[in-house]
Amino acid sequence: MGEVKPLWTPSDEQIEKSQMTLFRRWCAEKFGVDLPDHDAFHQWSITERGSFWSAVWDYCGVIGDKGARDLIDGDDMMKARFFPEATLNFAENLLSQTGADAALIFRGEDKVSYRWNWDDLAAMVSRLQQAYRAMGLEKGDRIAAMMPNMPETIALMLAAASMGVIWSSCSPDFGERGVLDRFGQIEPKLFIVCDGYWYNGKLQDVAAKVRAVEPELGAPVLVIPYAGDADGLAASLADGRTLAQFIAPYPVEAVEFTPLPFSHPLYILFSSGTTGVPKCIVHSAGGTLLQHLKEQRFHLDLHAGERLFYFTTCGWMMWNWLVSGLASGATLCLFDGSPFAPSGEILWDYAADERFAVFGTSAKYIDAVRKSGIEPIKTHDLKSLRAVTSTGSPLSPEGFSFIYEAVKPDVQLASISGGTDIVSCFVLGNPVKPVWRGEIQGPGLGLAVDVWDDEGKPVRGEKGELVCAKAFPCMPVGFWNDKDDAKYKAAYFERFDNVWCHGDFAEWTEHGGLIIHGRSDATLNPGGVRIGTAEIYNQVEQLEEVAESICIGQDWEDDVRVILFVRLQPGVTLDADLDKKIKTKIRTGASPRHVPAKIIQVADIPRTKSGKIVELAVREVVHGRPVKNKEALANPEALDLYAGLEPLKT
């Protein structure tokens, strides 16, 4: 339920000046329809999807040829095609600015700092494009990159996109098996790596890993200098070269942009892969561009020249999302490394120094800052900050309150949720609506988002499956090497016929917002009642003694019992009093059904490299089943803590 008052309400002036309002009025006039408020606008955007997405193209000034038709076979999720005759180039739309203003600002922990202006970026893209062509790369080929979130990575991607080469990336902390499980499936023609990277104040060497992966991938290796010895690494490889060697023969020229179909593949992203080999999800250039423009211009109210920051690695879809900010003329603020090295102040220092307008991060980071006692409102000048966005896992109600109490009282806090599957969001912020504690503001324009029960009927005020009932442009082109789209259909369309079922356990609120209660496949079913794990975390992690927790359902006596694992603050031990305190907190804050049968203290909680805790992997270990792809985890050794536990045998 909502609070008596919202945490934030946009002023009349903010609503009037927002691009969301201006776009709504523009559509009303252009199409001769009555759109008196945002809810009417959203309804029109899903009823008239072809007109709506055509309007996004026109209003945002997409460079390309839109073609005559905006949508064909719109009633069939698998056959629907947006802008079937259109041509465009993704890179051309991101490189639309020129001049000496900053395009990319970079910090690598406290070790490295530099910036590129728009002309610097275009110059690097030009030289890389020529080098790609000289080595024989062609439209439809793949480039795989194991890179930090740094300016060179963006230039390397844009040069690929400029000529129709498909980009795929991961972060340099992936292990050898994790890299091969991903990139081995897509057979890249070029493998791009850094020569090392900084994490937690320490230089992390990648040379041995690169040398092990090179023969398996069978592709030439391009080494980008950052934190190590690029010359030495390149020389030690069978077919290696440095960035300097790669682009040396090529002068700066105008970048050439190949016109490509709307649905031409742009990115291959990978599912987390904690229950098997990662799925290779192929995303289109046109769908990605239109969806990101819509989210950033209208839902985030992003303007040219503003500083846009997202704390992400190149192995998380938020990197792909962040890069699209260039299409709105924003300056991207990039960071690579630990957000707590040399101290927990580093990202707030960055925000104050560079005057971030938007600070994007994960719910886990917000919770870690809250528990560390850092209060930026007392220590940092954040007057330019107008929006904070959070994703990766559901943001707790306490996380909402923390932003307004300890960061800034007048920001729009946009909790957002979508995923790698759509390289964007289903539900997200809205600059013309209030922010209520614990609630995502609403569905994205043009997306027929709903919550359905098991019978496929829409429900209000109760939990169900998050679905999208109509086709949308940023649906994947498909999965790589997926004959007859069999895996693609199984992933999203098996549950409900011709309706995208996203796998989130969700609930509409009385304010027209949404709450995500966790992943559907991780929901708990004690006594046949479905419980979202986030409902338990929201209670447990309010307690000062608890650093973090993970919850699973254990098969027990023909039913399921709830097991809660807690990582406690240093020096704290789980005794009878704390056990009772946790159970009481859950019982009173959630319900008696949410109370775990057992609470067990653990030293660590396994998570993916993008920071998501992995309930399914822990559940497999508890039941004595193998976890198929530990390489997807940042700390795979943590899984050993959950094997053969005595308390789970009684």
Side-chain angles (χ1 to χ4, degrees):
M1 297 294 287
E3 297 286 290
V4 177
K5 283 184 174 177
L7 293 171
W8 174 83
T9 303
S11 68
D12 291 343
E13 183 184 9
Q14 284 172 313
I15 293 171
E16 279 294 307
K17 287 184 174 177
S18 73
Q19 294 179 86
M20 181 72 88
T21 297
L22 297 174
F23 182 48
R24 170 171 60 85
R25 290 177 178 160
W26 186 86
C27 288
E29 185 174 342
K30 178 179 172 69
F31 295 99
V33 290
D34 185 25
L35 301 174
D37 55 27
H38 181 80
D39 292 344
F41 189 28
H42 184 268
Q43 186 57 49
W44 175 80
S45 77
I46 57 176
T47 304
E48 303 293 338
R49 283 169 297 149
S51 296
F52 169 75
W53 289 106
S54 180
V56 172
W57 180 304
D58 292 344
Y59 191 88
C60 293
V62 170
I63 302 166
D65 179 354
K66 194 167 59 169
R69 296 181 293 175
D70 46 39
L71 175 60
I72 58 171
D73 296 324
D75 292 334
D76 187 320
M77 276 288 214
M78 291 298 293
K79 291 183 182 172
R81 293 292 176 268
F82 287 86
F83 307 104
E85 293 108 15
T87 57
L88 58 83
N89 188 281
F90 183 82
E92 185 173 16
N93 280 277
L94 269 65
L95 288 170
S96 59
Q97 306 279 318
T98 58
D101 289 342
L104 305 173
I105 299 170
F106 174 60
R107 289 191 185 183
E109 290 193 359
D110 61 336
K111 310 292 183 189
V112 180
S113 176
Y114 59 92
R115 63 189 63 214
W116 288 3
N117 64 32
W118 288 93
D119 290 347
D120 296 331
L121 176 57
M124 180 59 82
V125 171
S126 163
R127 299 179 74 190
L128 286 166
Q129 181 191 71
Q130 294 172 71
Y132 285 166
R133 284 212 176 103
M135 70 173 290
L137 284 175
E138 297 177 345
K139 180 174 68 176
D141 287 341
R142 279 80 59 207
I143 288 176
M146 186 182 78
M147 284 289 291
N149 177 19
M150 60 194 292
E152 286 83 352
T153 313
I154 293 177
L156 288 154
M157 181 280 290
L158 290 173
S162 73
M163 48 194 288
V165 172
I166 306 167
W167 176 266
S168 193
S169 61
C170 72
S171 51
D173 57 344
F174 272 73
E176 179 185 330
R177 189 74 253 154
V179 173
L180 291 171
D181 282 348
R182 284 158 177 76
F183 297 153
Q185 296 185 70
I186 64 171
E187 300 173 285
K189 294 284 182 72
L190 178 65
F191 181 39
I192 302 173
V193 302
C194 60
D195 58 2
Y197 63 98
W198 297 102
Y199 196 83
N200 212 19
K202 297 190 182 108
L203 175 62
Q204 311 288 327
D205 188 33
V206 298
K209 179 166 57 185
V210 173
R211 283 194 287 268
V213 166
E214 182 196 27
E216 298 284 330
L217 284 183
V221 181
L222 175 59
V223 182
I224 310 301
Y226 175 41
D229 176 10
D231 291 324
L233 176 54
S236 73
L237 299 168
D239 189 2
R241 66 207 78 178
T242 65
L243 177 63
Q245 293 165 342
F246 191 56
I247 63 174
Y250 308 106
V252 175
E253 298 175 350
V255 182
E256 293 180 24
F257 299 106
T258 305
L260 298 159
F262 185 85
S263 60
H264 183 78
L266 170 71
Y267 293 134
I268 296 175
L269 272 62
F270 302 95
S271 63
S272 59
T274 50
T275 53
V277 175
K279 298 190 291 281
C280 309
I281 306 171
V282 185
H283 289 291
S284 72
T288 301
L289 179 65
L290 280 194
Q291 174 75 343
H292 289 178
L293 281 168
K294 179 208 73 178
E295 292 185 344
Q296 293 172 352
R297 295 263 182 107
F298 309 131
H299 287 275
L300 197 56
D301 204 30
L302 186 65
H303 287 78
E306 284 194 314
R307 304 289 209 252
L308 172 64
F309 169 78
Y310 220 100
F311 175 56
T312 180
T313 71
C314 297
W316 191 22
M317 51 92 23
M318 292 314 302
W319 178 81
N320 308 78
W321 185 94
L322 170 64
V323 172
S324 291
L326 293 171
S328 295
T331 299
L332 307 188
C333 296
L334 314 176
F335 180 87
D336 197 80
S338 167
F340 291 96
S343 77
E345 310 281 348
I346 188 165
L347 295 187
W348 303 106
D349 293 344
Y350 193 9
D353 292 346
E354 295 296 347
R355 307 181 310 284
F356 290 0
V358 180
F359 187 112
T361 188
S362 65
K364 282 288 173 193
Y365 172 76
I366 291 172
D367 196 53
V369 172
R370 179 173 72 87
K371 296 211 161 166
S372 72
I374 295 169
E375 296 182 72
I377 197 169
K378 295 178 178 175
T379 53
H380 290 76
D381 176 2
L382 300 174
K383 62 175 173 287
S384 61
L385 187 66
R386 58 170 185 78
V388 173
T389 68
S390 167
T391 191
S393 56
L395 182 63
S396 68
E398 289 66 42
F400 275 77
S401 296
F402 172 76
I403 294 296
Y404 287 97
E405 291 163 6
V407 177
K408 200 171 184 224
D410 62 347
V411 292
Q412 177 198 354
L413 172 56
S415 179
I416 64 180
S417 184
T420 299
D421 320 76
I422 62 168
V423 72
S424 60
C425 309
F426 277 121
V427 291
L428 69 171
N430 186 339
V432 303
K433 291 219 168 189
V435 173
W436 297 87
R437 188 173 185 262
E439 299 182 18
I440 297 172
Q441 284 180 283
L445 288 171
L447 301 176
V449 172
D450 209 347
V451 178
W452 285 11
D453 65 15
D454 289 341
E455 279 73 54
K457 294 187 174 63
V459 291
R460 291 290 182 274
E462 62 181 86
K463 303 177 192 88
E465 293 285 348
L466 185 76
V467 302
C468 193
K470 295 182 178 181
F472 49 97
C474 63
M475 290 169 61
V477 176
F479 292 172
W480 192 257
N481 284 341
D482 180 19
K483 194 172 186 307
D484 300 323
D485 286 326
K487 291 179 185 171
Y488 180 38
K489 288 174 188 166
Y492 309 113
F493 300 108
E494 266 189 356
R495 184 74 188 276
F496 303 115
D497 182 46
N498 199 35
V499 167
W500 179 289
C501 186
H502 193 55
D504 276 343
F505 197 41
E507 177 183 9
W508 287 107
T509 72
E510 61 183 300
H511 308 114
L514 288 107
I515 297 170
I516 305 290
H517 292 289
R519 294 292 294 169
S520 300
D521 52 12
T523 53
L524 311 167
N525 290 278
V529 177
R530 293 183 82 192
I531 290 172
T533 52
E535 300 169 74
I536 294 174
Y537 303 146
N538 286 344
Q539 300 305 319
V540 176
E541 293 181 13
Q542 291 180 47
L543 300 172
E544 288 303 315
E545 297 92 337
V546 179
E548 60 179 345
S549 58
I550 191 167
C551 195
I552 65 154
Q554 182 192 17
D555 298 336
W556 191 257
E557 295 180 351
D558 298 322
D559 195 1
V560 174
R561 64 179 183 178
V562 179
I563 308 296
L564 177 67
F565 300 96
V566 291
R567 182 173 71 82
L568 302 177
Q569 298 289 4
V572 180
T573 302
L574 182 66
D575 56 17
D577 288 343
L578 183 53
D579 185 286
K580 183 180 179 184
K581 182 177 180 180
I582 293 171
K583 288 178 176 175
T584 301
K585 178 67 176 167
I586 295 170
R587 180 178 286 106
T588 55
S591 82
R593 286 191 178 275
H594 290 74
V595 176
K598 305 246 178 177
I599 303 176
I600 299 170
Q601 182 175 357
V602 288
D604 199 6
I605 288 177
R607 62 186 66 256
T608 65
K609 293 184 186 297
S610 59
K612 297 180 186 179
I613 60 174
V614 286
E615 293 141 327
L616 297 187
V618 169
R619 192 171 75 193
E620 295 297 274
V621 171
V622 163
H623 288 100
R625 298 188 288 260
V627 176
K628 295 173 186 165
N629 192 2
K630 294 184 181 180
E631 281 285 343
L633 302 180
N635 54 341
E637 67 285 350
L639 282 175
D640 298 339
L641 303 172
Y642 298 82
L645 294 173
E646 287 299 322
L648 297 184
K649 297 176 182 176
T650 58

